[in-house]
Amino acid sequence: MITIGKKRKGARRNPNYKRPSKRWDFFVLWFKRFGIAFGVAVFAIWAGAWLYLSGTIESAANWSKAEAVQMSADAGFNVQNILVEGRVHTDSDVLLGIVNVQKGDPLFSFDPQNAKELIQRISWVKSVQVERRFPDTVYIGITERVPLALWQKDKKLFLIDEDGAVLTDYGLKRFSDLMMVVGDDAPPKAKTLLDDLRAEPLLAGRIETAERVGERRWNLKTKEGMLIKLPAEDVGLALRRLAIAQEQDDLFGKSLQHIDLRKPDRIIVQSAPGQVQEFNIESFLKAGYSSGNDI
């Protein structure tokens, strides 16, 4: 009879046998668990990568999104109105092309941010607000640039605003009443000149063209063909002196060729060839007039 688990008397233990340590048992168990977890992680990553690269995830996400958008449209969130405010010169067909929605389209299929970015590229648009207005309206609020003057460059005309931005070179006949400015640096300088001219109503309506000279100052040309030379500085003060002279002596009613305002203490005038002008000598001297041939 053999008894298991009982040590026989006199049995000798093998001196070369070493019992496994508890620490080694722990590491073996840990590596087994880590291996299983690592294998699961690798499989998950591989599966995710396959789903992503094959487009399955994107397709599923797009399908879910499309279904949600359609459900919202069925619930009443569909486009019935496109409301545009502030549009005067901006082409309505261009706006509708950018918005690209039809009556009955799901409201949530319209992307306001994308439409805003595209509308801001239109030259007439200074700023724009685009939004969905629930339950059925696409809203576009536009602040347009205001036409200031016509700019002549390389024998071609452009419409500019007060910031010097070019608005268009098409259909300019409707803006023919605006003053024309000439010179490479004229657009950003035009607003200051126009503001000074508007402050003098006796002069503003008579000026047809303003040309930059040496990128320093302006020469003005009246509708009658008279040339007015402005100083580089204190343009407003020079125009004030000219307005006073016009009010007192009707300079524009005389056959003058040049009026030079570049000297702060006098107005130099030159008659047109073959013309003799009469001035009240007292007011002539008091106003600081002088005549000259080289103006």
Side-chain angles (χ1 to χ4, degrees):
M1 180 176 181
I2 301 175
T3 303
I4 299 175
K6 291 185 178 181
K7 183 179 178 181
R8 290 182 299 166
K9 289 183 179 181
R12 298 181 65 184
R13 183 176 296 179
N14 187 349
N16 296 322
Y17 173 77
K18 291 184 178 180
R19 188 172 182 175
S21 66
K22 293 183 178 180
R23 180 177 296 178
W24 175 255
D25 292 341
F26 170 79
F27 279 115
V28 170
L29 180 61
W30 186 84
F31 275 118
K32 286 181 179 180
R33 291 178 178 176
F34 176 77
I36 294 173
F38 180 75
V40 171
V42 169
F43 175 78
I45 293 173
W46 175 84
W50 182 83
L51 290 172
Y52 175 78
L53 294 175
S54 65
T56 303
I57 294 178
E58 184 178 0
S59 298
N62 290 337
W63 179 85
S64 299
K65 181 179 179 181
E67 286 296 309
V69 168
Q70 188 58 51
M71 288 175 62
S72 70
D74 295 340
F77 295 98
N78 53 69
V79 177
Q80 297 297 320
N81 304 290
I82 299 176
L83 176 61
V84 180
E85 293 183 345
R87 188 197 73 83
V88 178
H89 302 290
T90 305
D91 193 321
S92 59
D93 291 335
V94 173
L95 282 179
L96 290 176
I98 290 174
V99 172
N100 194 28
V101 294
Q102 303 294 327
K103 188 173 182 179
D105 285 353
L107 186 63
F108 285 99
S109 67
F110 171 67
D111 185 347
Q113 184 59 35
N114 182 61
K116 178 179 180 179
E117 292 173 359
L118 293 174
I119 293 172
Q120 283 179 328
R121 298 178 187 177
I122 300 175
S123 60
W124 279 105
V125 177
K126 189 170 186 177
S127 63
V128 61
Q129 177 185 359
V130 183
E131 59 187 33
R132 306 185 192 102
R133 288 192 172 176
F134 300 114
D136 57 10
T137 300
V138 171
Y139 171 79
I140 303 173
I142 295 175
T143 300
E144 287 191 337
R145 296 183 182 275
V146 180
L148 177 72
L150 295 171
W151 175 39
Q152 185 185 63
K153 179 178 174 61
D154 298 329
K155 298 182 180 181
K156 190 172 181 179
L157 287 180
F158 303 89
L159 185 68
I160 62 172
D161 76 339
E162 62 182 16
D163 296 323
V166 174
L167 303 180
T168 184
D169 60 353
Y170 176 77
L172 300 182
K173 185 176 290 187
R174 53 185 169 152
F175 303 106
S176 58
D177 59 329
L178 296 177
M179 192 179 76
M180 183 171 68
V181 297
V182 183
D184 290 343
D185 69 330
K189 305 289 185 182
K191 182 180 184 302
T192 301
L193 174 65
L194 267 291
D195 287 344
D196 289 336
L197 281 171
R198 290 191 189 105
E200 304 296 345
L202 285 176
L203 309 179
R206 294 180 176 272
I207 306 303
E208 184 175 56
T209 306
E211 182 177 3
R212 291 289 288 174
V213 179
E215 298 187 352
R216 292 182 59 254
R217 63 178 193 84
W218 294 95
N219 276 350
L220 308 181
K221 187 177 181 180
T222 69
K223 294 177 180 178
E224 298 81 13
M226 186 186 304
L227 182 67
I228 302 171
K229 296 187 175 184
L230 296 178
E233 305 291 339
D234 299 324
V235 173
L237 181 59
L239 292 174
R240 178 90 283 267
R241 290 192 294 122
L242 180 59
I244 293 172
Q246 169 61 21
E247 187 174 13
Q248 293 177 347
D249 296 309
D250 187 24
L251 294 184
F252 294 133
K254 304 180 186 300
S255 297
L256 298 179
Q257 189 176 36
H258 292 163
I259 299 177
D260 193 340
L261 302 170
R262 288 178 293 176
K263 296 186 180 297
D265 59 343
R266 67 185 64 193
I267 298 175
I268 302 173
V269 297
Q270 181 177 1
S271 298
Q275 300 292 329
V276 177
Q277 301 303 320
E278 293 184 1
F279 289 90
N280 181 297
I281 190 64
E282 183 177 348
S283 63
F284 186 89
L285 295 174
K286 185 177 180 181
Y289 293 124
S290 64
S291 61
N293 295 320
D294 183 17
I295 304 179

